Structure formats: structure tokens, C-alpha cells
Amino acid sequence: MGGKRPVAKLATMPPPRFPRGTGLSLGTCLLSLASMIRARFAPSPTGYLHVGGARTALFNWLYARHTGGTLILRIEDTDRERSTEAHTQVILDGLAWLGIECDEGPYFQGEYGARHQADAERLLAEGKAYRCFCTREELEAQRARVEVTGLGFRYDRRCFRLTPAEVEERRGAGIPSTIRFLLQDEEIAWDDAVHGRISFQGRDLDDFVILRSDSTAIYNLAVVSDDIAMRISHVIRGDDHISNTPKQIALYRALGHPQPVFGHVPMILGADGKKLSKRHGATAVGDYQDQGILPAAMRNFLVLLGWAPGGDREILPEDEMIRLFSLEGIQKKAAVFDTTKLEWMNGQYLSALPAEEMLGPVQRQLARSGVAHGDRDLVPIVNAVKARSRTIIHLAEQVAVRLDPPRAALDPKGETLIRKMGPAFSANLELAARALEALDPKDWTSERLLETLKAAAAEHGLKLGDALQPIRVALTGSTVSEPVNELLAVVGRERSLRRMQEVAHQWTGGDAAA
RNA sequence: GGCGCUAUCGUCUAGGGGACUAGGACGGGGCCCUCUCAAGGCCCAAACACGGGUUCGAAUCCCGUUAGCGCUACCA
């Protein structure tokens, strides 16, 4: 393949990375560009992995996979007060659970302090930034004064007007200082991959601090410095960063680097239309893992929240998702997180997934609720109940009841049935039990059970439903389950008969209305 | 306050000037299947925020209004 040579050549080229006039054919050039796409996910470990962050990660991952590019993970741990290793681990676990694997990293922003500082000092040396000796208190006082007048505060550049001698004097006196970026009054615009053109005026922005008095970088500098160093070509992030973008572009310009492509994805809202927060209940991906959501279902739900492939697709397997994904399909509008639809989707995945493949999560859930299953094969039980379950938790409860019928709790539908049938409930139950007991244990199969039950009902002139529903309620506590013959087969002969007799007794002598 | 972003059924969305009596999905209602439920199939209710333009023609383009959200730190 002749494609190898230009790629190698490009790789050794110094920035700017995007070749112009290199004499390469358009096709080769596009091919090379595609393979040079470098996207990143850059969470700060100051909390759990939020579903919003997870979706941003998912979009980056899909974009990288779709284009054959590279996904870089960078942990932005420069806020030492709030960042913890535990949070970093939770983020890593969350991404792994969702099946989002990164090609590079995790890198830790905290390790690049020296570069951040060097970049700030270079800007200072080039006159693109200046030392600022204003203290927090002074700044706050200025801000308070201006806000009374109803105008927005903007730093008045008083330190920019200091003479070199004054600066030296203060430095000599050991007065702490920050480095502040000198923002030009010019238009700063970019073609956002999801919003189209967005434009700001430099005069509406503040001269912002880029380096603290302790020489650590402020977010905007750190991000730009790292994104340049890591050769990031596409910055896909939450749209709460839109107003940071002009500052970052100004930094790219000052540092002499071409800016990457920016794409700002919308926020995720709670059911009340407000920004998703703890009040809305589960917001961390770990919460959904605990609730028994399958990673594939979570991914499918999340990708459809703010992105659509066009057309009527709902269930998207991973390869389809990657094939169809595009930045153009991303919605501009914030989306409400609808847990009901998530559960529906999880139900779809649960129904389609072979029992063997969900044994792990089911066993973990059984262990959590203290249910021992010994050496019993869970596969047939899971197969019997998975079509009717929306979460692993719910599914595991159903498995537990089939393992040990006395666990069954009577639900309102079960109660209603008992009340409506009156004495017939126990009578029919006993009748069915007798018929089943007469069955050779070897014939305790779904098919023979149905035959036997049908024959018994016919013999006593009962409608099939009247014969079967009491069995269902006895074994599960509810009127909802797989077909009764399958239920009996899955529960097993001894357990079924014992439970049927117990329940029949319970509702004869006693007060059936309870 | 300033700056910016956004606006189609309750929710997620399709739609990129005529193909729109605005399509799909979740949820809701009804029917079918069936021993029950789920799944599946069929049907029903349900939306272009408002006001101006542009145009022969606007959900689609432009401008306002309104509402929501974001940012406005020596946080990220």
C-alpha cells in the first residue's frame, strides 16, 4: 500500500499538523487526516461518573471508533481540594463497565504543572500576558463596587499599566502575583461541530488569570496546554464549556497553535427539566449498574439521548452505533433523562440476551439478597423469567422465588384473585396438586404437566384458567408469570407440590378475606 | 446585569422550503394473541412557544418577543 509513506512523513512533521500544500493527493490527505483524529475525554475526579459525563465519553469513543481515530483519557485532577483517587477509580470503573475503552491514558493533568507554568511564562515573556498583584480581597471589593451599579464586572487592567520597574519592585518585595492573560479586542469565532458558527467579541471577555500565585495553572490554560501537547484534534465536551471556548481559542492563538475542532454536546436534564443533580435520584452510572441495568442497554439509551441516526432506529448494536455515529446527528437541545424508557430498553436487551450471558450479574444479585442456589442450574430459571423483567434486580427476585417458593410475597393482584375465587381457590389448588402428584416424577416436564393439568380441569369441568391461576399465585404470589406448566417445571416437583399444599391449607381453615 | 446557547406530542426524536391530513419510540388508552403477564401485532389520543417578515409556498430561512439553560472565580 502506497498509503504508508505519507502517513509516516506526516507523523514526523512539526505542528501545524494539518498538511497544506504538501503535494499529497486529496484522497491520501483525507485518509491521513481521518487516521489522525485524536479525541479525548477529560473528567475531573471531583465526584462520581455522572450520566452526562458518561454520555460525553460515549460520544468521544464513538467518534474515535467511527473515524478510526484515537481516544485519550485525561484525568483533570488539578483541583486538589476536591479531587480524590477514589473518584478517579470510580470513573475508570464506570467507563470499563460501559465498555468504553481508551487508547491512551489515563494521563493525569496534575503531572504537567511544569509545562503549564512554562506556557504561562512564555506568554508573559512575549507580552501576551502580564503579572497581576491584585489580591482576592481587592478583586472582590472591586467586583462588589461595580455590581452595585448594575454593570458586569470586568478586570480594569490596573496591573497591566504597571511599569516594568514597578513590577520588579513588587516582585523584589516578595508580593505574590498571578499571571493574567491579555485578551485582544477581536472577534473570536469558531465553527462548532454541533452548533455551527458561534461568535464572541474579545471586549466582552475578561483578562482572565492563567497561573495562580502558587504557580499552578488555571483550568483554561491547563486544558489548552494539555490538548496541544497531546495533539488533540477534536474537543467534544459538554456545552457548559461554550463560554470557555473563546478564552481557550485566544490561548491557542497566543501560543501559536491551530485550534482543534470543537463540538459542544447538550446537557442532560432531570424529569423536572432542571439540570440533573442528586435530587433526581440516580445520576451516577454506578447507580444504574447497581439497579441491574445492562451496560449495552445503558449505552444504547445514552447514545439516543441527544443523538439520532436519522430514521426510526431505536435498538442499536455496538457495531451499528459506531457505523452510524456522526457529530452532525448530535442534538443542540438539552434532553430529559427518562428512566422509564431506560428500563424499557433494558427489558429489550434482557429478553434478547442468552441466559448464560447474564448469569454473573444475576448471581451477584442473588448473593446480595442472601439467596443460596447451591448447585442448581440457573439457566432454565433465568430463561423462564427474563422476558418479563426490566432489570437484573427484578429478574433475580423472580429467580429467587422459583428457587424457594415460600419467599413469594402475595401482591395485590394475587390477593384479588384469592378473594374473588373464594373457597374454589384452595379446592382447585388441591385438586391440581393431587393430579400432579399422581404424575410419575420422570414425567415432570413442561409438556406432560400441561397435558395433565388440562385433563384434570376437563375431568372436573373447570376452565383452564381457574385451575391454573391458583397454582401461579401459590408459587409466585402474583398472577403474573411464565406459563404455569413451565413455572412448575422450573420450580421442580417437590418444591411445587409442597408449596401448593401449604398454600391450599393456609386459605382453607383461615380467613380467606385477609 | 452582561455575554452566549436553545426552543416539534408528557418524554426521546424524524424533518434541512412543496413528498406533512407533521413520521417513529417510551409512557397512556383500546383491541388481538393467551391459562395470566411480558413479548409481539393492530388501532386511538397527543406537538411545530409567540409575533413579524422572505417566498407562489414555510416545522424548515431571517428578525424580534417570551421562556429555559450555561458562563460571568487565583473551580473544573
Side-chain angles (χ1 to χ4, degrees), chain A residues 77 148 198 200 231 241 245 252 277 292 300 318 336 340-341 344 402 445-446 457 475:
Chain A
D77 56 349
V148 174
I198 298 179
F200 285 80
R231 305 184 344 268
H241 285 287
T245 305
Y252 275 98
S277 73
N300 198 153
E318 184 178 313
V336 173
T340 306
K341 188 162 184 179
W344 165 79
R402 263 135 267 245
T445 62
S446 178
L475 296 186

Side-chain angles (χ1 to χ4, degrees), chain A residues 298-316:
Chain A
M298 189 72 188
R299 214 164 44 199
N300 198 153
F301 174 73
L302 244 23
V303 80
L304 255 22
L305 208 55
W307 174 79
D312 299 333
R313 306 291 304 274
E314 294 286 339
I315 302 295
L316 293 165

